[in-house]
Amino acid sequence: FWDFLILFFCLPVVIFNEITKKRLLGDVSCRILPFMEVSSLGVTTFSLCALGIDRFHAATSPQASARPIEQCQSIIAKLAVIWVGSMTLSVPEILLWQLAQDTSPVSGIVTEYCTMKPSSNLPESVYSLVLTYQNARMWWYFGCYFCLPILFTVSCQLVTRRISGAEKKTECRGTKHSQCESHLNCTIIGLTIIYGLCTTPENVCNIVVAYMSPDMSKQTLDLLNLINQFFLFFKCSVTPVLLLCLCRPLGQAFMDCCCCCCEGCSPDTASSEGSADSKLKTEMSSSIFFDKPRESPPPLLALGTPC
């Protein structure tokens, strides 16, 4: 949902600014866009950390195949912590940026751009904090929004694979639960790879700009900033598609919901049967996604091994 907000609000504003050389919404866009973009990095970072913890608990649970379905209130509480924490850490971006104007010496056209400069009208204590944030912004980006999710995901995956490898020696292989766990782990790894590839250019540019900005022209800095923004937009576009493709239960549930919405326009018998069938598939898929099959009547015949 946050990726959708970035694409819906930030992408049109950036395209409009590049075409017209005027800042849409003026000083407001200079403050809100960086705030939303940094909040997006925080949401992705802490979501990957939460998913890594969930996979770790799934691997270390005494009865991993019978984990209870997590309550909606618990999920909403975790999402609230992730979103509120990400937005709180991004508040200095609102105070850091401001609108500036520049006149071209050749054409004489006045262009508007955003500059990273705290306002002098801020209280002295707030101004000092924002200035400290500006000086440490590059390494804060690199440590919190790049190294933290990658190292956290890699560590959780290594521990999970080690525990799963030890358990496979005493359990039967090829069970449905183990396949579900493998799909979910691959989903998290895929999301982390996309996030790392899309944020690497921005961190490299931040380090280069921090040490070579006096020798670089304003046009070069603007071009690097534009490239970083479009990498962020690319990440926001690819992440939902990748999530639906790699996580089969979630993707199947999404397709079933779309089919239900399309078939709702024709109230005939076939559509009602298709809707019921889609509902059954959705329930089965969601039960797989939450690591516990729903209660079903016992099988008529007990065939094969216990696995």
Side-chain angles (χ1 to χ4, degrees):
F1 182 70
W2 195 274
D3 291 337
F4 169 77
L5 293 180
I6 293 293
L7 294 175
F8 186 80
F9 289 104
C10 297
L11 181 58
V13 174
V14 171
I15 294 177
F16 178 85
N17 296 336
E18 291 301 319
I19 294 176
T20 63
K21 301 301 179 183
K22 298 291 183 180
R23 299 299 302 186
L24 185 64
L25 301 178
D27 188 63
V28 176
S29 66
C30 286
R31 300 177 184 274
I32 296 299
L33 258 67
F35 170 76
M36 293 188 64
E37 292 173 354
V38 176
S39 297
S40 173
L41 298 178
V43 168
T44 306
T45 295
F46 301 133
S47 296
L48 289 175
C49 293
L51 290 173
I53 294 175
D54 180 74
R55 292 298 90 208
F56 176 77
H57 285 324
T60 57
S61 177
Q63 296 179 348
S65 59
R67 292 178 65 204
I69 298 178
E70 190 170 3
Q71 298 296 325
C72 182
Q73 293 83 354
S74 175
I75 298 176
I76 293 177
K78 292 179 180 179
L79 290 177
V81 171
I82 292 174
W83 278 45
V84 173
S86 302
M87 296 173 68
T88 302
L89 294 176
S90 305
V91 168
E93 296 287 333
I94 300 178
L95 307 176
L96 183 61
W97 295 86
Q98 59 179 331
L99 183 66
Q101 294 181 347
D102 186 21
T103 304
S104 175
V106 179
S107 59
I109 300 177
V110 178
T111 59
E112 297 178 345
Y113 63 96
C114 297
T115 180
M116 191 184 300
K117 182 180 178 181
S119 176
S120 58
N121 297 328
L122 294 174
E124 184 176 356
S125 57
V126 177
Y127 180 82
S128 61
L129 290 176
V130 175
L131 198 61
T132 303
Y133 173 80
Q134 180 182 1
N135 296 330
R137 186 174 183 268
M138 177 192 66
W139 296 112
W140 169 253
Y141 251 71
F142 182 74
C144 182
Y145 298 137
F146 181 76
C147 295
L148 178 62
I150 293 178
L151 294 178
F152 204 94
T153 303
V154 171
S155 301
C156 289
Q157 289 297 319
L158 290 177
V159 175
T160 301
R161 289 181 180 275
R162 184 179 181 87
I163 295 175
S164 301
E167 291 178 350
K168 284 182 179 180
K169 296 179 180 179
T170 58
E171 295 180 358
C172 295
R173 299 187 180 183
T175 61
K176 192 173 183 179
H177 175 73
S178 62
Q179 293 176 358
C180 175
E181 291 292 328
S182 178
H183 288 319
L184 294 177
N185 290 331
C186 292
T187 301
I188 298 176
I189 293 175
L191 295 176
T192 305
I193 291 175
I194 290 296
Y195 179 75
L197 292 177
C198 293
T199 54
T200 297
E202 182 174 5
N203 287 277
V204 173
C205 291
N206 288 338
I207 295 175
V208 171
V209 169
Y211 293 100
M212 299 180 60
S213 57
D215 301 331
M216 303 175 67
S217 62
K218 180 180 177 300
Q219 290 76 12
T220 304
L221 296 176
D222 293 341
L223 178 61
L224 293 177
N225 184 42
L226 183 63
I227 292 175
N228 295 334
Q229 285 184 318
F230 274 98
F231 266 107
L232 176 63
F233 298 147
F234 177 76
K235 188 267 296 182
C236 294
S237 303
V238 172
T239 299
V241 178
L242 183 69
L243 184 62
L244 293 177
C245 292
L246 291 182
C247 188
R248 295 179 182 179
L250 182 61
Q252 184 62 42
F254 179 79
M255 294 302 298
D256 291 341
C257 290
C258 293
C259 294
C260 289
C261 295
C262 295
E263 294 175 355
C265 300
S266 55
D268 54 354
T269 306
S271 64
S272 61
E273 292 178 357
S275 177
D277 195 20
S278 300
K279 183 178 179 181
L280 178 60
K281 291 181 180 179
T282 304
E283 291 179 355
M284 294 175 61
S285 301
S286 60
S287 65
I288 296 174
F289 182 72
F290 284 104
D291 306 319
K292 176 187 176 183
R294 294 186 180 273
E295 295 182 358
S296 58
L300 298 177
L301 296 176
L303 302 178
T305 64
C307 295

CSV table of all heavy atoms in Angstrom, one decimal, residues 2 5-6 10-12 29 35 41 56 64 83 103 130 169 194 213 217 226 237 244 251 261 272 285 295 299:
chain,number,residue,atom,x,y,z
A,2,TRP,N,2.0,1.2,0.7
A,2,TRP,CA,2.9,2.4,0.7
A,2,TRP,C,3.5,2.5,-0.6
A,2,TRP,O,3.7,3.7,-1.1
A,2,TRP,CB,3.9,2.3,1.9
A,2,TRP,CG,4.6,3.6,2.1
A,2,TRP,CD1,5.7,4.1,1.5
A,2,TRP,CD2,4.2,4.5,3.1
A,2,TRP,NE1,6.0,5.3,2.0
A,2,TRP,CE2,5.1,5.6,3.0
A,2,TRP,CE3,3.2,4.6,4.0
A,2,TRP,CZ2,5.0,6.8,3.8
A,2,TRP,CZ3,3.1,5.7,4.8
A,2,TRP,CH2,4.0,6.8,4.7
A,5,LEU,N,1.2,4.4,-2.7
A,5,LEU,CA,1.1,5.9,-2.3
A,5,LEU,C,2.3,6.6,-3.0
A,5,LEU,O,2.2,7.7,-3.5
A,5,LEU,CB,1.2,6.0,-0.8
A,5,LEU,CG,0.0,5.6,0.0
A,5,LEU,CD1,0.2,5.8,1.5
A,5,LEU,CD2,-1.3,6.3,-0.5
A,6,ILE,N,3.5,5.9,-3.0
A,6,ILE,CA,4.7,6.5,-3.6
A,6,ILE,C,4.4,6.7,-5.1
A,6,ILE,O,4.7,7.8,-5.7
A,6,ILE,CB,5.9,5.7,-3.4
A,6,ILE,CG1,6.3,5.7,-1.9
A,6,ILE,CG2,7.1,6.2,-4.2
A,6,ILE,CD1,6.7,7.0,-1.4
A,10,CYS,N,4.0,10.6,-5.6
A,10,CYS,CA,5.4,11.2,-5.9
A,10,CYS,C,5.7,11.1,-7.3
A,10,CYS,O,6.4,12.1,-7.8
A,10,CYS,CB,6.4,10.4,-5.0
A,10,CYS,SG,6.2,10.5,-3.3
A,11,LEU,N,5.4,10.1,-8.0
A,11,LEU,CA,5.8,9.9,-9.4
A,11,LEU,C,5.3,11.1,-10.3
A,11,LEU,O,6.0,11.7,-11.1
A,11,LEU,CB,5.4,8.6,-10.0
A,11,LEU,CG,5.8,8.3,-11.4
A,11,LEU,CD1,7.3,8.4,-11.6
A,11,LEU,CD2,5.4,6.9,-11.8
A,12,PRO,N,4.0,11.4,-10.3
A,12,PRO,CA,3.5,12.5,-11.1
A,12,PRO,C,4.1,13.8,-10.8
A,12,PRO,O,4.4,14.7,-11.7
A,12,PRO,CB,2.0,12.5,-10.8
A,12,PRO,CG,1.7,11.2,-10.3
A,12,PRO,CD,2.9,10.7,-9.5
A,29,SER,N,5.8,20.4,-1.7
A,29,SER,CA,6.3,19.2,-2.4
A,29,SER,C,7.8,18.9,-2.0
A,29,SER,O,8.2,17.8,-2.0
A,29,SER,CB,6.1,19.3,-3.9
A,29,SER,OG,7.0,20.3,-4.4
A,35,PHE,N,10.0,13.2,2.6
A,35,PHE,CA,9.4,12.5,3.7
A,35,PHE,C,8.8,11.2,3.3
A,35,PHE,O,9.0,10.1,4.0
A,35,PHE,CB,8.4,13.4,4.4
A,35,PHE,CG,7.6,12.7,5.5
A,35,PHE,CD1,8.1,12.5,6.7
A,35,PHE,CD2,6.3,12.3,5.2
A,35,PHE,CE1,7.4,11.8,7.7
A,35,PHE,CE2,5.5,11.7,6.2
A,35,PHE,CZ,6.1,11.5,7.4
A,41,LEU,N,11.4,3.7,2.4
A,41,LEU,CA,12.5,2.9,2.8
A,41,LEU,C,12.4,2.3,4.2
A,41,LEU,O,12.8,1.1,4.4
A,41,LEU,CB,13.8,3.7,2.7
A,41,LEU,CG,14.2,4.3,1.3
A,41,LEU,CD1,15.4,5.2,1.4
A,41,LEU,CD2,14.3,3.2,0.3
A,56,PHE,N,11.9,-17.0,11.3
A,56,PHE,CA,12.7,-17.7,12.3
A,56,PHE,C,11.8,-18.4,13.3
A,56,PHE,O,12.1,-19.5,13.8
A,56,PHE,CB,13.5,-16.6,13.0
A,56,PHE,CG,14.3,-17.1,14.2
A,56,PHE,CD1,15.5,-17.8,14.0
A,56,PHE,CD2,13.9,-16.9,15.5
A,56,PHE,CE1,16.2,-18.3,15.0
A,56,PHE,CE2,14.6,-17.3,16.5
A,56,PHE,CZ,15.8,-18.1,16.3
A,64,ALA,N,5.8,-26.6,14.3
A,64,ALA,CA,5.7,-25.6,13.2
A,64,ALA,C,4.5,-25.8,12.3
A,64,ALA,O,3.9,-24.8,11.8
A,64,ALA,CB,7.0,-25.6,12.4
A,83,TRP,N,4.8,1.4,10.5
A,83,TRP,CA,4.4,2.6,9.8
A,83,TRP,C,4.8,3.8,10.7
A,83,TRP,O,5.4,4.8,10.2
A,83,TRP,CB,3.0,2.6,9.4
A,83,TRP,CG,2.7,1.8,8.2
A,83,TRP,CD1,3.2,0.6,7.8
A,83,TRP,CD2,1.9,2.2,7.1
A,83,TRP,NE1,2.7,0.2,6.6
A,83,TRP,CE2,1.9,1.2,6.1
A,83,TRP,CE3,1.1,3.4,6.8
A,83,TRP,CZ2,1.2,1.3,4.9
A,83,TRP,CZ3,0.4,3.4,5.6
A,83,TRP,CH2,0.4,2.4,4.7
A,103,THR,N,18.3,31.2,-11.6
A,103,THR,CA,18.1,31.8,-12.9
A,103,THR,C,19.2,31.4,-13.9
A,103,THR,O,20.4,31.5,-13.6
A,103,THR,CB,18.1,33.4,-12.9
A,103,THR,OG1,17.1,33.8,-11.9
A,103,THR,CG2,17.9,34.0,-14.2
A,130,VAL,N,18.4,19.1,13.5
A,130,VAL,CA,18.3,18.9,12.0
A,130,VAL,C,19.6,19.0,11.3
A,130,VAL,O,19.9,18.2,10.4
A,130,VAL,CB,17.3,19.9,11.4
A,130,VAL,CG1,17.2,19.8,9.9
A,130,VAL,CG2,15.9,19.8,12.0
A,169,LYS,N,16.6,-34.3,8.9
A,169,LYS,CA,17.3,-35.6,9.1
A,169,LYS,C,16.4,-36.5,9.9
A,169,LYS,O,16.5,-37.7,9.8
A,169,LYS,CB,18.6,-35.4,9.9
A,169,LYS,CG,19.6,-34.6,9.1
A,169,LYS,CD,20.9,-34.4,9.9
A,169,LYS,CE,21.9,-33.6,9.1
A,169,LYS,NZ,23.2,-33.4,9.8
A,194,ILE,N,15.6,-7.5,-4.6
A,194,ILE,CA,15.1,-6.3,-5.3
A,194,ILE,C,15.4,-5.1,-4.5
A,194,ILE,O,15.8,-4.0,-5.1
A,194,ILE,CB,13.6,-6.5,-5.6
A,194,ILE,CG1,13.4,-7.6,-6.6
A,194,ILE,CG2,13.0,-5.2,-6.1
A,194,ILE,CD1,14.0,-7.3,-8.0
A,213,SER,N,31.1,16.5,-3.8
A,213,SER,CA,30.1,17.5,-4.2
A,213,SER,C,30.7,18.9,-4.6
A,213,SER,O,30.2,19.5,-5.5
A,213,SER,CB,29.1,17.8,-3.1
A,213,SER,OG,29.7,18.1,-1.9
A,217,SER,N,28.9,19.6,-10.7
A,217,SER,CA,28.0,20.7,-11.1
A,217,SER,C,26.6,20.4,-10.6
A,217,SER,O,26.3,19.3,-10.2
A,217,SER,CB,28.0,20.9,-12.6
A,217,SER,OG,27.5,19.7,-13.2
A,226,LEU,N,17.7,12.4,-9.7
A,226,LEU,CA,16.6,11.9,-10.5
A,226,LEU,C,16.7,10.4,-10.7
A,226,LEU,O,15.7,9.7,-10.6
A,226,LEU,CB,16.5,12.6,-11.8
A,226,LEU,CG,15.4,12.3,-12.8
A,226,LEU,CD1,14.1,12.6,-12.2
A,226,LEU,CD2,15.6,13.0,-14.1
A,237,SER,N,7.3,-0.4,-8.0
A,237,SER,CA,6.5,-1.1,-9.0
A,237,SER,C,6.7,-2.6,-9.0
A,237,SER,O,5.8,-3.4,-9.3
A,237,SER,CB,6.8,-0.5,-10.4
A,237,SER,OG,6.6,0.9,-10.4
A,244,LEU,N,3.4,-11.1,-5.5
A,244,LEU,CA,2.2,-11.9,-5.9
A,244,LEU,C,2.7,-13.1,-6.7
A,244,LEU,O,2.0,-14.2,-6.8
A,244,LEU,CB,1.3,-11.1,-6.8
A,244,LEU,CG,0.5,-10.0,-6.0
A,244,LEU,CD1,-0.3,-9.2,-6.9
A,244,LEU,CD2,-0.3,-10.6,-4.9
A,251,GLY,N,-0.7,-14.9,-4.2
A,251,GLY,CA,-1.1,-14.6,-5.6
A,251,GLY,C,-2.4,-15.3,-6.0
A,251,GLY,O,-3.2,-14.7,-6.7
A,261,CYS,N,-14.8,-10.5,-8.2
A,261,CYS,CA,-15.3,-9.2,-8.5
A,261,CYS,C,-15.8,-9.2,-9.9
A,261,CYS,O,-16.8,-8.5,-10.2
A,261,CYS,CB,-14.2,-8.2,-8.3
A,261,CYS,SG,-13.6,-8.0,-6.6
A,272,SER,N,-22.2,-18.2,-9.6
A,272,SER,CA,-22.2,-18.5,-8.2
A,272,SER,C,-21.4,-19.7,-7.8
A,272,SER,O,-20.8,-19.7,-6.7
A,272,SER,CB,-23.7,-18.7,-7.8
A,272,SER,OG,-24.2,-19.8,-8.5
A,285,SER,N,-5.8,-21.2,0.3
A,285,SER,CA,-4.5,-20.5,0.1
A,285,SER,C,-4.1,-19.7,1.3
A,285,SER,O,-3.0,-19.7,1.7
A,285,SER,CB,-4.6,-19.6,-1.1
A,285,SER,OG,-5.0,-20.3,-2.3
A,295,GLU,N,-9.4,-26.4,9.7
A,295,GLU,CA,-10.0,-27.6,10.2
A,295,GLU,C,-10.8,-28.2,9.1
A,295,GLU,O,-11.7,-27.6,8.5
A,295,GLU,CB,-10.8,-27.3,11.4
A,295,GLU,CG,-10.0,-26.8,12.6
A,295,GLU,CD,-10.9,-26.6,13.8
A,295,GLU,OE1,-12.1,-26.8,13.7
A,295,GLU,OE2,-10.3,-26.2,14.9
A,299,PRO,N,-9.9,-37.7,6.8
A,299,PRO,CA,-10.1,-38.5,5.5
A,299,PRO,C,-10.8,-39.8,5.8
A,299,PRO,O,-10.7,-40.4,6.8
A,299,PRO,CB,-8.6,-38.7,5.1
A,299,PRO,CG,-7.8,-38.6,6.4
A,299,PRO,CD,-8.5,-37.6,7.2
